[in-house]
Amino acid sequence: MADPSRVSGDPALAVGVSIPRVDGRAKVRGRALYVDDLTAEGMLHGQTVRSRVPHGVLRAIRQDPDFDWSGITVATAADIPGENVVALIEDDQPALVPIGGRVRHPDEAVALVAAPTRARAREAADHIELDIEPLPASFTIEESLAGEVVLYGDDNVMRRFDVQKGQDVERALAEADFVIDGTYRTGPQEQMYIEPQGVMAAWDDQGACRLTGSMQCPYYVHKAIARLTALPPEKVVIAQSVTGGGFGGKEEYPSMIGAHAAVLARASGAPVKLVYDRDEDIGATTKRHPARVHHRLGVMKDGTIVAQDVDVVLDGGAYVTLSPVVLSRAVLHATGPYRCPNVRIVGRAVATNVSPHGAFRGFGAPQTTFPYERQIDKAARQLGIEPFEMRRRNMLELGDETATGQTLSYSVGGPAALARAEAAAGSAPPRELAPAEQGTPVRRGRGLAFYYHGAGFTGSGEEKLAGRATVALCEGGGFEVRSSSTDIGQGTLTIFAQLAAAALGVDVGLVRVPEPETGSVPDSGPTVASRTCMVVGGVVERAASALRRRIEAWADEQGIDAPMDELGRRAAGELGEISETAQYSPPPGIEWDDDSYTGSAYAVYGWAACVVDVAVDLDTYEVQVERCIHAVDVGKAIHPIIVKGQIEGGTLQALGWALWEHVAYERGSVVNRRMTDCIVPTFADAPELETIIVEEPYPHGPHGAKGVGEIPMDGPAAAVANALEDALGAPFDAVPALPEHIARALAQAERAPVSKNEREVIS
Amino acid sequence: MTAYLRPNTLEEALAVREAHPEYTILAGGTDLLVSGHRVPPPPGIVDLFDLRPLRGIARDGDGSLRLGAATTYLDVLSSDTGREELSILRAAAREIGALQIQARGTLGGNLVTSSPVGDTLPVWLALGAEVELSSAGRGARRVAYDAFCTGYRQTDMAPDELVTAVTIPPPAPGTRRFWRKVGTRRAQSISKLMIAATARLENGLIAEPRIGLGALADRPIRGVAVERAMAGRPPDEDTAARAARALAAEITPIDDVRSSADYRLTVATNLVARFVRLLAEPA
């Protein structure tokens, strides 16, 4: 056994401390290489020719005979060496629409062009004409459900999930004192990462294909490219380049753009770089799923929730992609962090002729959090119960059971988050105060939202993934963490260095965490689902501990007594590189049944409460968020500044979704494809965010840490809508609430003064 | 290939303009560079950025203000000349883009691009500005801004002319000024609508109102009917309502990706009423 006195690195020095980001220096000095910075000898630039028709049959692809095609490569589906499919969950999406094949949305890739310059590639793409025989198309959830245009199966429903708990929900609702009945709509949202999508591809003399690009999940791309190229896995190498933001937008789409770059590089025999312009990126890549949720909430006079009946419909877009998984998470979060004996949830994802909707921070949960937090708020308003008190009476506590029958036995941070937010918020400002601007009539209001977010993959997902990570002692005595978890700005490289250093007992500076490349790193699972720190970080910690034990055992054998950094140097000198790989194993007591949708939906949950104060300008209907208090339970903040950054970034993204972000479509095609019109908030739009980190440790996470990436996105939109109702006395049941919508709602309220409870059923 | 010329004097610039009327003028480049890859390259570019004789704000002998066409928004924000009169121009300049854009974008560029959503343009209407144009052959002339913009992105500038300055007559004492941009967000946004207004009170009645409206028609327009509805009346609720009604009758805004016709109309009428109420408050 190693002598514990040998421990030189105090874990407390590495964890819970905001060390300088390991990637910070290169980024600040402009030395980090993003994909568009990469170049290679003889490199060509790629361009994509898209369908521009929402639905139809591709009859022909014609190259303008009068155009000078010299030096230009054109590739189509016929040039794909393997299967023409972007492999993900189902094999329904082609990489390129083949002749005779179906075009299913207006931004579908049909042909590819490579040329020595971007300008020439663009010009050549403009000289390719597509002959597409149009078919009737459908663009909305309602049109899809009406089923006049059948795009998937026989009813357009790509996936359905049912959750059932307690007695018959209709009977429970009939027995409730009040039923709040509402329909809620949330819109698409663009991730708007600063760096657009891009991949560079090259084939070597041995016929291997190498891709380097901006991405979240190298092994997703690996799986897709292996099938597309019909290459054995070892002949496909996927490397992540420094990535300028993802937010879910670079979860599945890199397989598509990667497929295109790979096909072009093979057809042209040269390295090909394919980087989207902003307008192409906004037009073609994934958005948050638009949703329609019908929610009925049964409550008793004292505020007790007795029943929830939730019908969730997501617009999946033209192909299945990740919609079943997004829908699953939407469904599993649909009744909120509340005790409720009787539950029915029905979730459906439906097909439309719109570019597929996909992963975006929150991953379905924001779409169902908005409805239940509006419903709870309406119930509180109707019953005359103070909003915090209404949540307190119903919130899940230690030992309570969730909608899927999971008993919560640890790390329930809800009560603490709610209490901390309430204390920080203090009393609400008066409705009308001295106006902020001369002559401006202003109405003020306060809104609360309370929510939770399952960390990691759903159900048995993490067990099936069995994410692995390696920690190695390298030549010279340095350590290296090898995992496929990517740093997309959220701090993976830094926290992995911290976790490994703490477990090894060495200085953080001795730990290197390179950007992943398949083949050189084990598959840790994708960088999604708030799982990187909690799940993969835990695996890194275990691998580091195992390596430390091995080095210490060697030192014991050699009779060496020295601090770990010295042991590392000497062991490396004697043994060469040694490494340990660990694999995820689920905590005890986590069982999930996929057929009945019951059991432990997630190993642990993050919890949050958000208070928003708004001021509405009654002349312009613009909303100023004056305060936003966000208390989030993260288990343990490994790096407090990074955690705060995650919370504040997610909060602003959520406020953006609530108040400004409107992706406008016409016949399935995005109209506002530039940052001037596809609006996201700026710092001028944001209040000083009041962020409170709550730490209710997760016994099976590294140092107690659990997920933080997504939860800040879930609730602020509901808090904003609740604040708007508080300020204006009119219900706001859709996201976003643009000034145009507020003006219309107030005009309607003036024209037909109705009881604010008219929309609700009172039994 | 696109030719690139950078004259050092006004004379040189006018000579180049006369010789190459087909060349594109680059004032600050904030429109040209953004649209660059979407339009065919021009045969030539004449770069007037930082052309010294056209840059800066000065007071003329007659008390009017003269703002050179190459004056940037940042120059406007940092100039001490005419601070009171130019309060609404500064307010407009402050909301254009971010610092980088404010350091490049110019008053002349905004005038000649003549976008219906050009942020400085309603200000010229409210301030009664005149545009100074010069050519090598015919010298200088002045046109009221009302007559300078002749249609959607159309101006009165001849192919051999350059805009050289904007001039603003000295204001009557007691003049009040109002500016409000309603954009898609609070910074770096394209306007949904803008209102620039000036007026003063004479014996408690509104005198010489000038209302400039942006993004509410195919070009920046004067709210002529609003001005009539306000002039000679006290700044009270009745006048505010009359002004709002007059405006509603005189504009027909459009729906587009940034906003709706209904919203633009409602907010414009609210803001005109706000201006009337503001006149009743002490300066």
Side-chain angles (χ1 to χ4, degrees):
Chain A
M1 267 312 284
D3 172 8
S5 67
R6 196 179 279 154
V7 175
S8 66
D10 177 359
L13 294 180
V15 162
V17 178
S18 298
I19 62 165
R21 288 180 65 125
V22 302
D23 56 330
R25 185 177 289 263
K27 282 178 175 166
V28 169
R29 301 172 103 190
R31 290 186 183 161
L33 294 180
Y34 295 83
V35 62
D36 204 28
D37 298 319
L38 305 180
T39 189
E41 206 184 322
M43 184 183 82
L44 303 177
H45 295 264
Q47 187 72 32
T48 312
V49 179
R50 299 185 186 277
S51 56
R52 303 285 166 240
V53 171
H55 195 198
V57 177
L58 179 66
R59 292 297 178 206
I61 301 170
R62 290 191 203 96
Q63 288 177 236
D64 181 352
D66 297 328
F67 182 73
D68 171 17
W69 292 97
S70 61
I72 288 169
T73 302
V74 176
T76 66
D79 297 293
I80 296 171
E83 294 172 71
N84 183 6
V85 59
V86 182
L88 197 59
I89 291 174
E90 286 191 16
D91 286 345
D92 58 334
Q93 184 172 220
L96 292 163
V97 179
I99 302 286
R102 195 96 78 90
V103 163
R104 290 176 179 273
H105 66 85
D107 293 280
E108 191 138 26
V110 177
L112 303 164
V113 172
T117 66
R118 290 191 80 179
R120 186 99 165 101
R122 209 175 276 136
E123 203 188 347
D126 287 342
H127 286 85
I128 291 179
E129 193 195 334
L130 305 180
D131 181 357
I132 298 170
E133 187 184 317
L135 293 168
S138 91
F139 303 111
T140 62
I141 286 171
E142 282 68 29
E143 285 171 11
S144 180
L145 288 173
E148 274 174 39
V149 177
V150 178
L151 300 169
Y152 187 94
D154 49 20
D155 60 359
N156 287 331
V157 177
M158 293 166 161
R159 190 63 68 91
R160 177 183 166 125
F161 292 112
D162 291 86
V163 173
Q164 196 87 39
K165 184 185 184 186
Q167 61 161 323
D168 176 60
V169 80
E170 294 296 345
R171 229 178 78 200
L173 286 168
E175 288 168 5
D177 289 342
F178 296 92
V179 175
I180 313 294
D181 185 317
T183 298
Y184 301 86
R185 285 170 191 281
T186 56
Q189 187 181 21
E190 162 59 31
Q191 293 87 357
M192 208 65 96
Y193 29 69
I194 294 175
E195 181 206 23
Q197 306 242 8
V199 169
M200 180 154 152
W203 293 65
D204 69 15
D205 300 340
Q206 280 76 50
C209 176
R210 183 186 167 85
L211 262 55
T212 307
S214 182
M215 64 182 71
Q216 293 179 224
C217 313
Y219 276 99
Y220 277 8
V221 181
H222 186 264
K223 174 183 162 193
I225 299 302
R227 289 199 42 203
L228 183 97
T229 56
L231 286 174
E234 66 277 9
K235 288 213 155 183
V236 176
V237 177
I238 311 295
Q240 184 217 6
S241 49
V242 176
T243 295
F247 311 108
K250 292 171 185 169
E251 177 170 351
E252 70 267 43
Y253 200 84
S255 295
M256 175 68 88
I257 185 171
H260 294 160
V263 169
L264 266 180
R266 186 172 181 273
S268 64
V272 169
K273 186 161 78 180
L274 186 49
V275 176
Y276 288 169
D277 274 346
R278 182 64 62 182
D279 52 358
E280 186 171 21
D281 194 294
I282 291 179
T285 70
T286 56
K287 308 277 168 289
R288 180 184 303 288
H289 288 74
R292 185 191 77 187
V293 176
H294 179 211
H295 195 293
R296 291 191 298 161
L297 176 72
V299 288
M300 305 310 283
K301 285 193 181 100
D302 67 356
T304 308
I305 295 172
V306 292
Q308 292 196 64
D309 181 28
V310 195
D311 178 57
V312 182
V313 190
L314 299 184
D315 173 356
Y319 294 104
V320 173
T321 60
L322 291 169
S323 291
V325 200
V326 176
L327 177 68
S328 162
R329 192 171 276 273
V331 161
L332 290 169
H333 287 76
T335 54
Y338 300 110
R339 283 187 303 274
C340 182
N342 306 296
V343 168
R344 176 171 67 192
I345 310 167
V346 177
R348 286 169 293 171
V350 300
T352 57
N353 292 112
V354 178
S355 188
H357 298 298
F360 193 150
R361 191 179 218 164
F363 208 75
Q367 289 96 317
T368 48
T369 301
F370 179 75
Y372 73 68
E373 275 306 280
R374 286 290 294 132
Q375 289 280 94
I376 301 280
D377 214 64
K378 287 179 185 179
R381 199 171 289 278
Q382 178 153 335
L383 296 167
I385 299 174
E386 197 277 326
F388 282 97
E389 179 58 24
M390 181 72 188
R391 270 81 175 182
R392 231 178 342 257
R393 285 184 193 175
N394 291 287
M395 67 185 172
L396 289 168
E397 297 183 60
L398 209 60
D400 283 336
E401 199 184 65
T402 68
T404 59
Q406 173 177 8
T407 301
L408 300 170
S409 55
Y410 48 69
S411 196
V412 179
L418 192 66
R420 298 271 308 267
E422 186 174 17
S427 53
R431 287 275 149 89
E432 283 159 81
L433 265 183
E437 193 180 317
Q438 213 181 7
T440 309
V442 168
R443 197 75 61 76
R444 287 181 163 80
R446 167 169 285 185
L448 166 67
F450 179 60
Y451 37 98
Y452 68 163
H453 192 99
F457 263 48
T458 302
S460 43
E462 290 296 347
E463 199 176 347
K464 287 181 193 151
L465 269 177
R468 288 175 299 133
T470 300
V471 178
L473 171 65
C474 303
E475 212 178 308
F479 296 89
E480 190 168 278
V481 178
R482 294 170 190 159
S483 89
S484 67
S485 296
T486 52
D487 195 316
I488 51 174
Q490 87 286 39
T492 303
L493 303 180
T494 305
I495 59 161
F496 278 10
Q498 287 179 282
L499 291 171
L504 287 162
V506 298
D507 187 84
V508 174
L510 281 180
V511 183
R512 211 179 85 83
V513 191
E515 266 99 21
E517 174 176 319
T518 60
S520 308
V521 299
D523 187 353
S524 320
T527 306
V528 303
S530 309
R531 66 184 291 277
T532 297
C533 178
M534 174 179 110
V535 175
V536 187
V539 178
V540 166
E541 191 182 39
R542 284 187 24 230
S545 297
L547 182 62
R548 175 185 182 151
R549 284 193 299 274
R550 196 163 143 196
I551 294 168
E552 285 170 345
W554 170 83
D556 277 350
E557 276 169 28
Q558 307 291 315
I560 307 170
D561 185 9
M564 193 61 198
D565 52 349
E566 194 189 325
L567 290 187
R569 268 195 309 275
R570 292 174 67 172
E574 292 284 323
L575 305 173
E577 176 174 317
I578 55 170
S579 66
E580 287 288 340
T581 298
Q583 180 170 323
Y584 177 79
S585 62
I590 296 298
E591 268 160 45
W592 172 253
D593 182 48
D594 248 330
D595 296 324
S596 62
Y597 248 54
T598 55
S600 297
Y602 300 94
V604 70
Y605 298 81
W607 307 78
C610 182
V611 180
V612 164
D613 287 348
V614 297
V616 186
D617 181 323
L618 295 180
D619 281 341
T620 66
Y621 315 103
E622 291 165 300
V623 178
Q624 177 68 16
V625 177
E626 296 190 313
R627 287 185 74 192
C628 178
I629 299 131
H630 212 166
V632 183
D633 167 30
V634 303
K636 165 75 183 174
I638 302 297
H639 188 300
I641 287 182
I642 285 179
V643 167
K644 204 168 168 226
Q646 282 288 295
I647 296 172
E648 295 190 346
T651 305
L652 189 53
Q653 219 157 24
L655 294 176
W657 188 51
L659 287 169
W660 294 280
E661 298 188 31
H662 170 59
V663 185
Y665 286 83
E666 244 168 54
R667 290 190 56 77
S669 186
V670 178
V671 187
N672 46 351
R673 292 184 176 212
R674 295 169 73 175
M675 287 173 110
T676 47
D677 287 326
C678 197
I679 298 301
V680 297
T682 65
F683 277 108
D685 300 292
E688 186 70 35
L689 299 169
E690 299 169 58
T691 299
I692 300 164
I693 297 174
V694 178
E695 294 181 316
E696 200 72 52
Y698 168 42
H700 308 290
H703 301 268
K706 51 191 181 183
V708 61
E710 295 173 282
I711 186 168
M713 179 71 222
D714 291 354
V720 166
N722 292 342
L724 287 175
E725 178 162 4
D726 187 46
L728 304 171
F732 291 90
D733 293 345
V735 163
L738 299 176
E740 285 77 3
H741 303 143
I742 294 170
R744 203 178 310 141
L746 291 184
Q748 275 163 4
E750 249 170 57
R751 267 200 296 277
V754 290
S755 144
K756 65 184 175 189
N757 294 330
E758 196 200 55
R759 308 176 66 256
E760 298 152 9
V761 180
I762 302 170
S763 63
Chain B
M1 281 296 272
T2 299
Y4 174 81
L5 298 169
R6 185 147 197 229
N8 289 314
T9 64
L10 178 58
E11 291 64 39
E12 242 179 274
L14 294 175
V16 166
R17 179 75 170 142
E18 188 172 49
H20 298 289
E22 74 283 11
Y23 282 14
T24 297
I25 307 295
L26 183 154
T30 58
D31 288 317
L32 193 60
L33 296 181
V34 169
S35 61
H37 67 283
R38 283 157 217 278
V39 293
I45 289 174
V46 184
D47 184 352
L48 301 184
F49 184 73
D50 199 26
L51 185 60
R52 286 289 152 161
L54 298 191
R55 193 161 176 186
I57 302 173
R59 177 88 59 192
D60 278 351
D62 64 352
S64 63
L65 279 174
R66 181 186 165 83
L67 301 94
T71 304
T72 66
Y73 304 127
L74 197 57
D75 293 340
V76 169
L77 291 170
S78 53
S79 170
D80 287 328
T81 309
R83 282 196 80 75
E84 191 195 337
E85 294 151 79
L86 297 181
S87 60
I88 55 177
L89 180 65
R90 279 202 309 281
R94 197 175 293 121
E95 292 182 68
I96 295 174
L99 185 62
Q100 295 93 327
I101 297 294
Q102 291 168 8
R104 285 291 310 193
T106 64
L107 300 178
N110 210 223
L111 275 164
V112 175
T113 294
S114 200
S115 159
V117 294
D119 276 0
T120 57
L121 307 181
V123 173
W124 305 135
L125 290 166
L127 295 179
E130 287 186 336
V131 178
E132 184 190 87
L133 297 129
S134 299
S135 67
R138 287 167 290 127
R141 67 183 175 107
R142 282 183 178 194
V143 189
Y145 179 74
D146 309 44
F148 174 74
C149 180
T150 54
Y152 176 73
R153 290 177 177 271
Q154 298 291 312
T155 70
D156 184 41
M157 185 175 80
D160 63 343
E161 281 181 319
L162 291 174
V163 169
T164 44
V166 186
T167 59
I168 296 166
T175 297
R176 305 285 300 273
R177 301 172 188 85
F178 177 77
W179 163 258
R180 185 66 154 85
K181 164 176 173 165
V182 180
T184 48
R185 63 186 160 206
R186 285 176 85 91
Q188 307 221 42
S189 80
I190 296 184
S191 297
K192 293 176 179 178
L193 65 121
M194 290 163 281
I195 293 190
T198 60
R200 62 195 160 83
L201 292 186
E202 225 173 63
N203 305 321
L205 304 178
I206 298 171
E208 286 188 72
R210 295 183 67 94
I211 312 285
L213 305 166
L216 291 166
D218 68 344
R219 73 196 83 169
I221 54 166
R222 279 274 292 278
V224 180
V226 186
E227 292 171 5
R228 264 204 306 273
M230 292 167 68
R233 294 191 169 269
D236 58 14
E237 281 307 313
D238 179 52
T239 304
R242 284 173 56 97
R245 277 200 304 277
L247 181 65
E250 93 176 310
I251 58 170
T252 42
I254 58 161
D255 284 324
D256 65 15
V257 71
R258 285 189 281 274
S259 192
S260 66
D262 276 356
Y263 175 81
R264 288 186 163 109
L265 188 64
T266 306
V267 173
T269 56
N270 290 349
L271 290 176
V272 160
R274 186 189 281 189
F275 176 57
V276 172
R277 288 185 204 107
L278 210 64
L279 290 173
E281 289 176 18

